[in-house]
Amino acid sequence: MGGGPEVPLRGREKELLLCVLPWPESTSEKVIKEITDEFPYIDLHYVQEHYQNKADRGKVVIPEELYKRARVLATLSWLPPSASAVPDLDLIQFFSAGTNHVAQHPIYKDSEIPLTTASGVHGPQIAEWVVMMFLIHGHHYISLYEAQKRKEWVNMSGRTVRDAVGQRVGILGYGSIGRQVARVAKAMGCDVIAYTASPRTTPDSKKDNGFIVPGTGDPDGILPSAWFSGTDKDSLHEFLKQDIDLLVLSVPLTKATTHMLSTEEFTLLEKSNAHGTYVANISRGGIIDQPALIKALENKQISGAALDVTDPEPLPSDDPLWSAPNVLITPHVSGGTEAYAERAFQVLKENLRRRRDGGKLVNQIDRKRGY
């Protein structure tokens, strides 16, 4: 049983925790039992949402009599039609890192129901994806693999490898993902610099107050050798001038961050690094002006790009990005892991504790900021 005061039942009914998620309930049995054991006043009802593609996500039909009783909702995309349809709902825990996919929904726009995310559960697997792509690029692995398929022994490319030691990793958006990238990059001997919207000038302001997978990340914010900040172009440009070898984009998609990297920014990167900056985008496709990225790749303004996100998604088969030089594209899979659902339930469990004890929710969305 968990600590803290036990919340009395509302009348004789338990509080309904409605879970509408795409994973089988069996994948999270252990943590679900931990939740029902620690919060005996909660009745957890699980609905697995089945869909074949992203366009069908959130379209599952949930009986009105079920969601009308909900006090807490755990979801990836599905939402009730309006706040009035869920009069007792006082927490929505998203199992996604962001909420831009529901930003136009009435519950997001017109209600004050607290919204929290699963930010923090993606750090390990996405950091591995970023570093994997960086090493594939730096070690010319694609050409080696193509030679293998041709059954050719070609070892000249191995003589031009530029290893990671001493290279500079610039992390645009120093949240849980960026902090784990920093941890791995430092282990390889890289220098790390960070960029955030707000200044982080004190030890306390540099701390990560969100959910952290144990043993990962940079909880105290001590890894960057330099920290840049701002919401204006001049501040961003100062950061991009820092001779960055690997630029990791890890910011939420908002009006302010849309096309954050465009022609002017690629020109700055070209001028600041003679080796060429490698760009890894694991946030949202709209962060980059995609036509400008294609031109930057074609003109060798950057050394290459690794993209787990594109604009739009899925990327149409005739989009010129597919055939741009030195680009690696994956279909928005870097955040996937067998441990995903279980970790997201851990975030939910922590927020149920804070809700019970009157604490500040972890990963709560600021609707005005959009994240």
Side-chain angles (χ1 to χ4, degrees), residues 97 121-133 176-178 180-181 184 248-250 280-284 308 332-337 340 343:
V121 307
H122 308 77
Q125 63 270 32
I126 293 184
E128 290 177 11
W129 183 95
V130 169
V131 173
M132 174 181 71
M133 292 300 194
S176 59
I177 294 169
Q180 178 62 4
V181 171
V184 179
V248 181
L249 307 183
S250 183
N281 187 10
I282 48 79
S283 50
R284 292 293 184 268
D308 188 49
H332 207 145
V333 296
S334 67
T337 173
Y340 189 100
R343 288 175 183 163

Side-chain angles (χ1 to χ4, degrees), residues 56-74:
D56 293 331
R57 201 167 70 179
K59 294 182 179 179
V60 61
V61 177
I62 305 295
E64 180 181 359
E65 60 269 20
L66 183 61
Y67 64 72
K68 191 173 183 179
R69 294 192 295 112
R71 291 294 306 279
V72 178
L73 171 64

Side-chain angles (χ1 to χ4, degrees), residues 270-290:
E270 180 186 25
K271 290 179 179 178
S272 70
N273 190 321
H275 292 284
T277 300
Y278 192 66
V279 177
N281 187 10
I282 48 79
S283 50
R284 292 293 184 268
I287 303 296
I288 298 179
D289 178 349
Q290 207 157 276

Side-chain angles (χ1 to χ4, degrees), residues 46-246:
Y46 198 105
V47 178
Q48 184 180 355
E49 180 182 12
H50 298 275
Y51 53 84
Q52 295 298 317
N53 54 63
K54 196 174 180 180
D56 293 331
R57 201 167 70 179
K59 294 182 179 179
V60 61
V61 177
I62 305 295
E64 180 181 359
E65 60 269 20
L66 183 61
Y67 64 72
K68 191 173 183 179
R69 294 192 295 112
R71 291 294 306 279
V72 178
L73 171 64
T75 181
L76 188 66
S77 299
W78 180 84
L79 285 174
S82 65
S84 61
V86 280
D88 294 329
L89 192 64
D90 59 24
L91 172 63
I92 300 177
Q93 173 68 61
F94 285 94
F95 273 42
S96 55
T99 54
N100 59 290
H101 60 297
V102 296
Q104 299 307 311
H105 193 282
I107 282 182
Y108 188 100
K109 295 171 62 178
D110 305 324
S111 83
E112 296 183 358
I113 299 171
L115 311 176
T116 57
T117 74
S119 179
V121 307
H122 308 77
Q125 63 270 32
I126 293 184
E128 290 177 11
W129 183 95
V130 169
V131 173
M132 174 181 71
M133 292 300 194
F134 184 46
L135 294 177
I136 285 173
H137 173 72
H139 286 255
H140 315 300
Y141 178 72
I142 298 299
S143 63
L144 293 170
Y145 181 60
E146 292 299 327
Q148 177 191 337
K149 290 194 293 183
R150 296 191 303 267
K151 301 178 182 179
E152 296 178 359
W153 189 269
V154 181
N155 62 7
M156 291 301 294
S157 63
R159 301 177 186 179
T160 58
V161 167
R162 183 173 177 233
D163 63 55
V165 176
Q167 293 201 51
R168 174 166 290 162
V169 179
I171 302 175
L172 186 53
Y174 202 61
S176 59
I177 294 169
R179 288 169 186 253
Q180 178 62 4
V181 171
R183 185 185 184 104
V184 179
K186 290 291 284 188
M188 295 195 302
C190 297
D191 177 47
V192 173
I193 61 174
Y195 187 96
T196 51
S198 56
R200 306 296 178 93
T201 55
T202 65
D204 192 57
S205 69
K206 292 179 180 180
K207 290 183 178 180
D208 184 354
N209 296 313
F211 177 81
I212 304 170
V213 176
T216 72
D218 180 18
D220 294 320
I222 61 173
L223 295 180
S225 62
W227 206 302
F228 297 78
S229 63
T231 56
D232 58 287
K233 279 216 167 194
D234 288 343
S235 298
L236 173 63
H237 289 176
E238 185 62 29
F239 173 71
L240 297 179
K241 292 176 183 178
Q242 303 304 310
D243 192 21
I244 296 171
D245 296 295
L246 169 61

